[in-house]
């Protein structure tokens, strides 16, 4: 917790000449090993092992951290807030299936483990909670706040969401009632017209303005001061917006974007206003929806201010399965030829997505998720060849937040045969998304406390310690359409995304990447 001293908070220490602990920092010298490949011109390659030395520095002091959600009064916003309060209070409640207790299932950080190594005596694996690899914030300690264009208090909004059991809601009603979203930026053209009737808590003005940016910045500062916080993370879990048009001179550079905001240009989305305010305030901003919040000018602004951004679109149910299953099929040498993905859902997200422009944003983010896996297999697929892929979403109020995701995967197997896999996946949408919201906050916060430099021991000119790139692609595991630093590849394959996350965390404490060779059990 925030009050634990660095010395007592560690579950393990690393015993290595490359790792040094002080009260305030963990300092590590790390050899990053890759393979450099050159092409001979005759279609053959030369692969050369390469080693780059880095210094990593981890700030051990766990900061008092706040999470501010845009769209706080929505299904995700109310569910994640209720879940954290229930965990903090250690609540249990009755359901028709028996008692249930608060947990963090579905959170990689809080619910999964990582192999630390092998027990020196028993030769058995030693696994530790992911949360204990680096000195991370505990979600129970997060201060929570945010904005919504609907002014309903969080208890009423939680009822509107119809996600949680009444026996749980009754126990947290008092705390939830006291939580009321701040007024937000509402530009009606960006979300579906069917959302208008809930927009009763809006800042005046229906297009971009510097006043809006300044108001959001002030809200962040006030929240920080009121709760005595060291850090704040802002996350968009508000309605899916339409894509903003990319207009040269408007959103292509940081300066043009700031001018466009000043001039009230109509192609600046509310989500971009929140991103800009967060960047200027130096707090990480994560986009949990699919729209193109991070226009080029916004990314450049983040880079200029050395501020962190991450996105886009939480990867919760159908797409998480897809990014695991397609990875498995194609890695197994099976030629996937079509994916048909249908969804129907009855929550407010589904209602908003029943409008064509907002659906289009979601269709794009749900459709591009297999590209890297297909492109990587040049045995099965010719250059440019791609499986057919369709995504359908329908609004069916009766099923509420319990989205139905139906998928058919059709593949070519040995000697002209076929494999057809049909999935029926009932995704309790907000209960799947809430732990991702927590993971994104905890990992983004952790990344603000990790610095690197080229190692002074490898003869390179000694550089100052600096941050990771502003675009936090390490968050990819939680996101459908991962944003990566301009010009760098997007990785959608779930196992690779997890590998990047765990191995970067391991590197920061001088541990080798996880490998599954287990030679110790094979070479007798
Ligand atoms: P929701 O519709 O229940 O909540 C969205 C909230 O945002 C509403 O309370 C609405 O009043 C508010 N809002 C709209 N525009 C706003 C603005 N400019 N400023 C502040 N508040 C605003 O939707 P839900 O289910 O909570 O999902 C939120 C977002 O997360 C959607 O874009 C959805 O597509 C995305 N998402 C959800 C996933 C899930 O599994 N639940 C997974 C992936 C993405
Ligand atoms: C219909 O697919 C509605 C969407 O908002 C999804 O529920 C949400 O994006 C989660 O999608 P997925 O593919 O990660 O389950």
């Amino acid at each position: 917790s925030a009050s634990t001293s660095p010395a007592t908070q560690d579950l393990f220490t690393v015993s290595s000449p490359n790792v040094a602990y002080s009260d305030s920092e963990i300092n590590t010298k790390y050899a990053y090993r890759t393979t450099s490949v050159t092409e001979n011109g005759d279609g053959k390659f030369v692969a050369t092992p390469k080693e780059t030395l880095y210094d990593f520095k981890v700030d051990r002091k766990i900061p008092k951290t706040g999470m501010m959600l845009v769209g706080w009064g929505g299904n995700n916003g109310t569910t994640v807030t209720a879940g954290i309060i229930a965990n903090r209070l250690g609540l249990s409640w009755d359901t028709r299936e028996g008692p249930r207790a608060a947990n963090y299932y579905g959170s990689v950080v809080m619910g999964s483990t990582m192999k630390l190594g092998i027990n020196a005596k028993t030769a058995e694996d030693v696994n530790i909670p992911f949360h204990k690899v680096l000195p991370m914030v505990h979600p129970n300690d997060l201060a929570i706040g945010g904005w919504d264009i609907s002014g309903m208090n969080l208890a009423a909004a939680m009822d509107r969401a119809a996600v949680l059991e009444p026996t749980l809601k009754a126990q947290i009603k008092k705390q939830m009632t006291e939580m009321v979203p701040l007024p937000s930026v509402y530009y009606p053209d960006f979300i579906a017209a069917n959302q208008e009737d809930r927009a009763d808590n809006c800042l005046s003005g229906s297009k971009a303005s510097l006043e809006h940016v300044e108001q959001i910045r002030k809200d962040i500062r006030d929240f920080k001061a009121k709760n005595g916080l060291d850090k704040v993370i802002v996350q968009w879990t508000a309605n899916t917006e339409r894509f903003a048009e990319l207009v040269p001179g408007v959103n292509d550079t940081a300066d043009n974007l700031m001018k466009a905001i000043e001039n009230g240009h109509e192609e600046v989305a509310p989500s971009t206003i929140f991103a800009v305010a967060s960047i200027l305030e130096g707090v990480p901003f994560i986009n949990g929806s699919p729209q193109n919040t991070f226009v080029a000018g916004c990314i450049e602004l983040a880079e200029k201010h050395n501020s962190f951004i991450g996105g886009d679109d939480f990867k919760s149910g159908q797409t998480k399965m897809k990014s695991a299953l397609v990875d498995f099929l194609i890695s197994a040498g099976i030629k996937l030829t079509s994916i048909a993905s249908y969804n129907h859902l009855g929550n407010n997200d589904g209602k908003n997505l029943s409008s064509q422009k907002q659906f289009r944003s979601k269709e794009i983010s749900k459709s591009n998720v297999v590209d890297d896996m297909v492109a990587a297999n040049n045995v099965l697929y010719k250059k440019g060849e791609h499986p057919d892929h369709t995504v359908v979403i329908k609004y069916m109020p009766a099923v509420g937040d319990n989205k139905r995701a139906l998928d058919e995967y059709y593949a070519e197997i040995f000697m002209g045969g076929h494999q057809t896999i049909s999935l029926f996946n009932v995704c309790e949408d907000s209960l799947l998304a809430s732990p991702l919201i927590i993971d994104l906050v905890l990992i983004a916060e952790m990344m603000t406390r990790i610095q690197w430099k080229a190692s002074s021991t490898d003869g390179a000119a000694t550089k100052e310690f600096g941050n990771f790139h502003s675009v936090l692609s390490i968050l990819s595991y939680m996101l459908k359409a991962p944003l990566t630093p301009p010009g760098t590849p997007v990785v959608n394959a779930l196992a690779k995304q997890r590998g990047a996350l765990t191995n970067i965390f391991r590197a920061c404490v001088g541990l080798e990447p996880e490998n599954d060779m287990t030679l110790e059990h094979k070479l007798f």
Side-chain angles (χ1 to χ4, degrees):
S1 83
S3 59
T4 315
S5 77
T8 53
Q9 80 199 0
D10 293 333
L11 179 63
F12 69 95
T13 48
V14 177
S15 167
S16 156
N18 294 325
V19 185
Y21 292 82
S22 73
D23 258 2
S24 55
E25 288 169 7
I26 304 172
N27 284 278
T28 300
K29 291 199 179 303
Y30 183 76
Y32 176 56
R33 297 192 178 94
T34 52
T35 307
S36 171
V37 178
T38 50
E39 233 177 310
N40 268 350
D42 57 358
K44 296 197 173 151
F45 302 101
V46 176
T48 313
K50 186 178 161 197
E51 189 173 284
T52 315
L53 296 175
Y54 292 111
D55 284 329
F56 288 116
K57 182 168 79 175
V58 177
D59 178 352
R60 300 178 80 185
K61 183 170 178 289
I62 298 176
K64 201 157 185 294
T65 302
M67 163 173 89
M68 294 189 83
L69 300 176
V70 195
W72 193 22
N75 283 28
N76 288 348
T78 54
T79 306
V80 69
T81 304
I84 290 173
I85 293 174
N87 271 282
R88 197 183 284 155
L89 300 175
L91 297 182
S92 56
W93 58 94
D94 280 329
T95 73
R96 67 182 181 185
E97 289 157 350
R100 291 290 180 274
N103 63 44
Y104 281 117
Y105 294 175
S107 154
V108 178
V109 174
M110 299 306 296
S112 80
T113 59
M114 188 191 297
K115 177 172 157 182
L116 178 63
I118 302 153
N119 186 306
K121 278 200 182 128
T122 64
E124 284 168 356
D125 287 355
V126 177
N127 295 296
I128 58 166
F130 193 108
H131 185 248
K132 291 291 179 191
V133 178
L134 293 177
M136 298 187 82
V137 172
H138 194 290
N140 288 357
D141 298 326
L142 289 172
I144 311 171
W147 303 261
D148 204 294
I149 55 170
S150 160
M152 235 181 224
N153 71 57
L154 272 258
M158 168 172 70
D159 286 342
R160 175 177 60 186
V163 172
L164 296 167
E165 296 279 353
T167 43
L168 165 60
K169 288 192 292 182
Q171 296 182 66
I172 53 174
K173 185 167 179 175
K174 188 169 174 298
Q175 289 98 316
M176 296 288 280
T177 307
E178 284 160 7
M179 298 174 140
V180 181
L182 295 161
S184 194
V185 175
Y186 177 46
Y187 309 156
D189 182 44
F190 277 89
I191 59 175
N194 63 28
Q195 298 297 305
E196 199 179 347
D197 55 355
R198 63 196 278 156
D200 60 6
N201 190 39
C202 309
L203 297 170
S204 63
S206 57
K207 54 187 181 152
S209 69
L210 280 181
E211 289 75 47
H212 285 168
V213 172
E214 287 311 319
Q215 181 60 48
I216 303 305
R217 293 184 66 178
K218 180 175 178 309
D219 290 344
I220 297 170
R221 285 197 298 271
D222 289 350
F223 179 72
K224 208 169 166 185
K226 188 172 153 220
N227 293 283
L229 302 174
D230 304 309
K231 298 242 170 99
V232 172
I233 315 287
V234 177
Q235 194 160 174
W236 179 275
T237 178
N239 287 10
T240 294
E241 298 173 330
R242 68 166 173 84
F243 266 51
E245 262 179 58
L246 301 177
V247 188
V250 171
N251 39 26
D252 52 349
T253 68
D255 288 346
N256 288 342
L257 179 61
M258 290 312 297
K259 263 186 249 138
I261 293 174
E262 198 178 338
N263 296 334
H265 198 283
E266 295 191 340
E267 286 309 313
V268 181
S271 59
T272 302
I273 295 287
F274 275 93
V276 167
S278 304
I279 290 166
L280 296 180
E281 212 46 44
V283 309
F285 177 85
I286 296 151
N287 176 33
S289 299
Q291 69 277 338
N292 61 345
T293 302
F294 299 120
V295 290
C298 190
I299 296 175
E300 192 186 298
L301 191 74
E303 289 171 340
K304 245 171 122 171
H305 289 264
N306 210 5
S307 202
F308 289 118
I309 54 174
D312 297 307
D313 205 9
F314 307 127
K315 177 161 77 173
S316 54
Q318 182 177 51
T319 307
K320 188 163 273 175
M321 282 296 295
K322 191 175 284 175
S323 61
L325 194 62
V326 172
D327 192 17
F328 142 65
L329 287 169
I330 294 181
S331 303
I334 291 173
K335 185 169 182 180
L336 187 65
T337 49
S338 92
I339 312 170
S341 293
Y342 305 92
N343 305 253
H344 60 270
L345 73 170
N347 56 15
N348 189 56
D349 179 30
K351 187 175 172 191
N352 182 59
L353 294 174
S354 65
S355 161
Q356 180 54 31
K357 284 184 181 165
Q358 286 67 29
F359 163 71
R360 182 67 188 134
S361 301
K362 191 64 91 173
E363 186 183 33
I364 293 170
S365 85
K366 278 169 95 81
S367 300
N368 293 340
V369 300
V370 298
D371 295 358
D372 55 326
M373 301 168 234
V374 172
N377 193 322
N378 53 19
V379 176
L380 296 177
Y381 300 96
K382 290 194 209 72
K383 205 170 170 51
E385 188 184 354
H386 209 274
D388 295 338
H389 191 179
T390 193
V391 172
V392 178
I393 303 176
K394 292 291 168 196
Y395 177 48
M396 298 283 273
V399 301
D401 205 62
N402 298 342
K403 182 182 80 178
R404 272 72 173 139
L406 291 83
D407 290 90
E408 184 188 273
Y409 295 87
Y410 188 57
E412 253 180 67
I413 56 172
F414 193 50
M415 304 304 286
H418 295 287
Q419 181 173 16
T420 308
I421 302 170
S422 289
L423 286 182
F424 186 89
N425 185 354
V426 181
C427 310
E428 298 193 351
D429 241 12
S430 307
L431 295 169
L432 288 174
S434 293
L436 306 186
I437 292 177
I438 293 170
D439 283 344
L440 287 161
V441 167
L442 302 189
I443 297 168
E445 187 292 310
M446 192 64 242
M447 295 309 289
T448 67
R449 285 185 288 130
I450 301 175
Q451 296 205 299
W452 71 278
K453 66 172 181 159
S455 173
S456 46
T457 60
D458 70 350
T462 308
K463 291 204 297 186
E464 293 303 309
F465 274 106
N467 290 336
F468 274 64
H469 191 275
S470 283
V471 177
L472 286 176
S473 62
I474 192 172
L475 304 176
S476 298
Y477 183 89
M478 273 72 61
L479 298 159
K480 277 205 267 291
L483 187 72
T484 61
T488 65
V490 174
V491 175
N492 288 292
L494 197 69
K496 283 191 188 172
Q497 292 174 333
R498 196 188 147 105
L501 178 60
T502 52
N503 291 327
I504 289 171
F505 271 37
R506 293 171 73 86
C508 291
V509 285
L511 294 173
E512 287 295 306
E514 267 190 340
N515 74 54
D516 298 316
M517 292 163 74
T518 59
L519 287 182
E520 61 278 21
H521 301 310
K522 295 185 172 76
L523 304 179
F524 291 109

